[in-house]
Amino acid sequence: MNKTNTSSIKEILLRDLSNLEKEIAGYANEEEIWLVRGEIKNSAGNLALHICGNLQHFIGAIVGQDGYIRKREEEFAKKNVTVSEILTEIRTTKAAIEKALDKLTDDKLEERYPLEVFGKPMTFSYFLIHLSGHLMYHLGQINYHRRLLAS
């Protein structure tokens, strides 16, 4: 098992995006992915779109320079996108991550990421770990949302 740090990060991101595909496909009723109640303001559908937009922007566009243009407001404003369309967006995100991270060497991981997202410099490694945590956080929210509706 001679993995690089970059390949490990890529593997984790792709694993969790595959889990996101399963979660979205696991809703018994397509309309349920758009349900919100009380203090819960973001639907599973919007969270899935947000995850995809976030990763396509910060990895696909910034690291891979693939030309992706993020429309963050739409990630939360769109409603009633079909499950099929969301699954296609997840697959597009996976492809963008693979292409971008295949170009990123382990040496580059400790170089400065080109954007100061948090108002201070950070390395590629730091930010990719953050993006993985962000994905996992929202994946957990979606899982809980789906299971709560199933009960």
Side-chain angles (χ1 to χ4, degrees), residues 14-49:
L14 294 175
R15 176 201 67 195
D16 289 340
L17 284 168
S18 291
N19 288 334
L20 178 60
E21 287 176 295
K22 290 175 194 167
E23 288 296 335
I24 295 299
Y27 277 82
N29 178 329
E30 192 160 304
E31 292 80 36
E32 289 179 344
I33 67 169
W34 300 103
L35 290 179
V36 292
R37 287 195 187 116
E39 294 298 311
I40 299 171
K41 304 294 183 206
N42 295 318
S43 68
N46 290 121
L47 289 172
L49 294 173

Side-chain angles (χ1 to χ4, degrees), residues 4-16 54-55 58-59 63 97 101 104 106 108-111 113 117-118 122-138:
T4 65
N5 291 327
T6 304
S7 67
S8 294
I9 292 168
K10 179 176 79 169
E11 184 178 324
I12 290 168
L13 288 166
L14 294 175
R15 176 201 67 195
D16 289 340
N54 189 58
L55 293 172
F58 288 117
I59 297 177
V63 177
I97 286 171
L101 294 187
L104 191 66
D106 277 0
K108 184 97 173 160
L109 284 177
E110 296 314 312
E111 292 180 16
Y113 186 78
V117 179
F118 305 119
M122 62 190 156
T123 62
F124 279 90
S125 178
Y126 179 92
F127 195 52
L128 290 171
I129 291 167
H130 165 79
L131 291 172
S132 178
H134 179 260
L135 165 58
M136 288 182 224
Y137 175 74
H138 288 314

Side-chain angles (χ1 to χ4, degrees), residues 79-93:
K79 305 292 179 214
N80 300 317
V81 177
T82 66
V83 166
S84 176
E85 290 172 298
I86 294 172
L87 293 174
T88 296
E89 193 66 19
I90 296 168
R91 286 189 289 276
T92 299
T93 303

